[in-house]
Amino acid sequence: IIDDNIIACDILKKMLNSFGFDVDIANSGYDGLEAIEKNNYDIVFLDYKMPNMNGIETYKKIKSLPKSTPKTIMITAHVKNELLDTIEELGIDSYLVKPTSPSTLYDTIVDLNKQKISQNTLHIKQSKSNECSFIGVKILLAEDNQLNQDFAKELLQSVNISVDIANDGLEAVELVKHKIYDIVLMDIQMPNMDGLTATKHIRAMGSSDEYFKKLPIIALSANALSMHKQLSLESGLNEHITKPIDPKELFDTLKKFLKNINLNVENNSISNYNLEVNSKILDTQEAIRRLNGNETAYIKLLKQFAKKYTTIYETINKLRHGDIDILEKKIHEIKGVLGNLGAKKVFLLLQNIDTILKTKNMPQDYLFTQLKVDLDELFTEIDRLTEEKTQKKDFNKEKVLELLDTIKQNLEDDIVKASETLEELEPYLQKNYKDIADNLRDLLNEFDTDGVKDVIVQSIDKILKR
């Protein structure tokens, strides 16, 4: 692994070790080049963005060595047309987009060694709890909203589907050009290039390659009317799934295009999850079912929603005095997210507002007044729910300082231990320092070690002055 980010190296190393690989790490292109000169490697994972000598420059020097070039996988955080073209021109064997999942990593390695997993070798692992596993299925998800991306990834990866993300139609077209997928899940409303246009571009490439003609592309849309479904099909899409996504509908649709898979996805009873909420504002049981029973993922998504959309009503209220189309896009965005989270009451109200906006008319004031009431109730419910799931302990200054220092010490060497220490620390911070816990968790999730260090230094100073 050649990457200047120590945390990223550690995570990738742990995944590769779990597959049985022996792994060496170099934290610069120069160190990586030196290691390759001295050793014979089967595969090199090469980060694109490194100081002094980036991944492309490093690969050129590796190729110039007087020995055979090992299989090389370029790692990049962003999908760019120019980079993908350069990777192809130089003969780099494959690439991965950060962050990657174990299943995506595994599939990339298998493909690299020309041991293609065909649909004939795909198989399903079925557990007693009816959890299903699509082995070897590769899906491209084109979706611009991060919360919706996270929701869909949680659902798809829960059945071991390998998922790549495109943030708009342009990225989707580029990824399909450079990588083989079994299915594309295509959101319709996206910036830069929408899903219908992206599909037309992909189908237009079919004159030179049958793959682009036959690739199953499934629309994801909040519009359930038959006219919208017909428009999707006319644009070259194979099927249309309505948001919010229902697991049974999604898996049944996937099964239709993966004909050799015999999969029975039951519409499981939703009465046995631990999380209980007695409110009309949030149907937690339905939302967790949509996540294939992953309650932890649901709580995580609720927290992300509360953080990202805390001022959403103020934003909507300002847009009421501007362009109707911009307001409609914002309403459509928030409606899709809340549908996945099980906020049915607000979802239905937003659906009503959205329908009126699509006619180029401004909804009456009472609808927005009701929206504010419902959103306030929703945020209150989310706060209560997420706090219920977080244990609280009396503040202990010495213990807190000790744990903060432990996190700081482990940042470079053991990110997993740092995260586990934060879990131990969080209960002590819930009463008076919840913002510190939230900031540390967000930064750790993003592997921003410098940011974590800054927050720890500031927090220690704040606590010592208490």
Side-chain angles (χ1 to χ4, degrees):
I1 302 170
I2 306 175
D3 192 337
D4 63 304
N5 187 317
I6 295 171
I7 305 303
C9 284
D10 186 56
I11 291 167
L12 182 56
K13 183 176 187 294
K14 282 182 169 64
M15 284 194 275
L16 290 168
N17 286 156
S18 74
F19 300 153
F21 288 105
D22 293 323
V23 182
D24 290 340
I25 288 176
N27 293 127
S28 73
Y30 296 106
D31 290 344
L33 192 63
E34 186 178 338
I36 290 168
E37 281 182 301
K38 295 177 179 177
N39 302 284
N40 292 319
Y41 294 101
D42 298 299
I43 303 174
V44 172
F45 290 87
L46 181 58
D47 185 45
Y48 168 64
K49 192 174 181 181
M50 294 186 291
N52 302 320
M53 185 163 71
N54 68 25
I56 296 297
E57 294 163 340
T58 303
Y59 182 74
K60 288 178 180 177
K61 290 187 180 295
I62 292 171
K63 280 188 77 173
S64 69
L65 293 174
K67 63 189 301 186
S68 60
T69 303
K71 299 283 187 182
T72 304
I73 298 174
M74 184 68 72
I75 305 173
T76 176
H78 303 286
V79 180
K80 293 182 179 177
N81 186 17
E82 298 82 3
L83 176 59
L84 294 178
D85 287 342
T86 302
I87 286 172
E88 199 167 303
E89 287 165 11
L90 288 175
I92 294 172
D93 299 277
S94 189
Y95 68 92
L96 281 168
V97 181
K98 292 181 179 178
T100 188
S101 68
S103 59
T104 300
L105 175 63
Y106 178 81
D107 289 342
T108 302
I109 293 169
V110 170
D111 286 347
L112 197 67
N113 288 282
K114 310 302 179 187
Q115 299 165 8
K116 294 285 185 183
I117 300 179
S118 69
Q119 286 188 356
N120 290 329
T121 63
L122 296 176
H123 60 283
I124 297 299
K125 290 180 180 177
Q126 192 85 26
S127 73
K128 292 178 182 177
S129 60
N130 260 334
E131 291 180 354
C132 312
S133 182
F134 290 67
I135 303 297
V137 176
K138 303 177 189 68
I139 283 182
L140 174 63
L141 171 67
E143 165 66 64
D144 63 299
N145 184 280
Q146 187 177 350
L147 271 167
N148 287 338
Q149 288 176 4
D150 290 345
F151 175 88
K153 275 181 72 175
E154 291 284 357
L155 178 58
L156 293 167
Q157 290 179 352
S158 74
V159 292
N160 283 343
I161 289 174
S162 171
V163 185
D164 284 349
I165 300 289
N167 294 295
D168 56 40
L170 283 172
E171 285 193 9
V173 173
E174 288 306 317
L175 282 167
V176 168
K177 276 184 190 176
H178 293 86
K179 195 167 181 178
I180 301 296
Y181 294 100
D182 295 298
I183 290 174
V184 175
L185 297 177
M186 184 78 77
D187 185 35
I188 298 302
Q189 290 196 15
M190 293 185 289
N192 301 322
M193 181 186 287
D194 63 59
L196 298 181
T197 306
T199 302
K200 289 175 182 176
H201 277 278
I202 292 169
R203 296 305 185 211
M205 294 186 284
S207 57
S208 59
D209 192 328
E210 283 287 304
Y211 164 65
F212 300 111
K213 276 185 181 178
K214 295 181 178 178
L215 173 64
I217 306 178
I218 299 169
L220 299 177
S221 173
N223 297 317
L225 299 177
S226 58
M227 60 175 287
H228 294 121
K229 293 184 179 182
Q230 187 59 36
L231 188 60
S232 295
L233 297 176
E234 288 172 359
S235 299
L237 288 135
N238 300 89
E239 190 59 87
H240 187 290
I241 293 177
T242 305
K243 290 182 178 178
I245 297 170
D246 180 88
K248 186 177 188 306
E249 181 188 6
L250 173 62
F251 294 146
D252 282 350
T253 304
L254 296 183
K255 182 173 65 172
K256 192 164 84 174
F257 293 99
L258 300 166
K259 300 187 187 302
N260 293 311
I261 289 181
N262 295 314
L263 176 65
N264 294 313
V265 180
E266 299 295 336
N267 196 355
N268 293 332
S269 168
I270 59 173
S271 62
N272 58 349
Y273 301 129
N274 294 324
L275 200 61
E276 296 291 347
V277 172
N278 297 316
S279 81
K280 295 178 181 178
I281 202 75
L282 204 55
D283 189 340
T284 61
Q285 304 295 282
E286 172 64 16
I288 295 170
R289 184 187 69 81
R290 289 183 183 278
L291 284 164
N292 222 21
N294 192 334
E295 184 178 306
T296 303
Y298 180 57
I299 292 295
K300 177 183 171 185
L301 290 170
L302 286 178
K303 288 179 177 179
Q304 290 177 353
F305 172 82
K307 182 175 181 181
K308 181 175 181 179
Y309 290 104
T310 184
T311 60
I312 186 61
Y313 180 76
E314 288 79 359
T315 301
I316 289 171
N317 205 30
K318 285 179 184 176
L319 291 174
R320 288 172 62 192
H321 308 291
D323 190 313
I324 282 183
D325 289 338
I326 296 175
L327 175 60
E328 195 276 324
K329 284 180 181 178
K330 182 56 68 175
I331 293 292
H332 182 87
E333 172 193 331
I334 191 74
K335 179 184 72 171
V337 173
L338 289 176
N340 285 332
L341 294 178
K344 286 187 175 180
K345 185 179 179 184
V346 193
F347 174 82
L348 291 171
L349 177 58
L350 287 166
Q351 197 168 50
N352 190 6
I353 293 172
D354 195 28
T355 301
I356 296 168
L357 288 169
K358 279 183 166 61
T359 67
K360 305 301 179 186
N361 292 305
M362 184 61 67
Q364 294 181 26
D365 289 347
Y366 79 90
L367 289 172
F368 291 101
T369 302
Q370 185 61 48
L371 179 60
K372 184 178 189 316
V373 172
D374 289 353
L375 283 172
D376 286 345
E377 186 181 350
L378 175 63
F379 283 115
T380 301
E381 196 65 75
I382 290 174
D383 285 343
R384 185 178 75 80
L385 251 184
T386 52
E387 282 185 15
E388 272 184 8
K389 297 301 290 182
T390 305
Q391 182 186 6
K392 292 183 181 181
K393 291 184 178 179
D394 290 335
F395 183 76
N396 181 320
K397 182 187 285 189
E398 288 71 24
K399 186 66 174 176
V400 167
L401 292 174
E402 176 195 332
L403 292 172
L404 283 170
D405 186 61
T406 302
I407 293 171
K408 188 179 176 185
Q409 296 304 320
N410 282 299
L411 279 176
E412 302 299 343
D413 300 322
D414 195 339
I415 190 68
V416 174
K417 187 173 180 183
S419 186
E420 289 172 351
T421 305
L422 177 57
E423 289 180 13
E424 185 182 350
L425 171 65
E426 282 182 299
Y428 293 102
L429 300 177
Q430 291 307 307
K431 290 184 179 178
N432 299 310
Y433 295 103
K434 186 174 181 297
D435 58 323
I436 294 176
D438 291 343
N439 285 339
L440 289 174
R441 176 59 63 196
D442 290 341
L443 292 166
L444 270 176
N445 285 341
E446 294 167 6
F447 310 120
D448 184 353
T449 54
D450 290 335
V452 172
K453 287 176 186 174
D454 289 342
V455 170
I456 288 175
V457 170
Q458 294 164 14
S459 301
I460 289 173
D461 185 57
K462 184 177 179 181
I463 291 167
L464 286 173
K465 289 178 179 177
R466 179 180 170 175

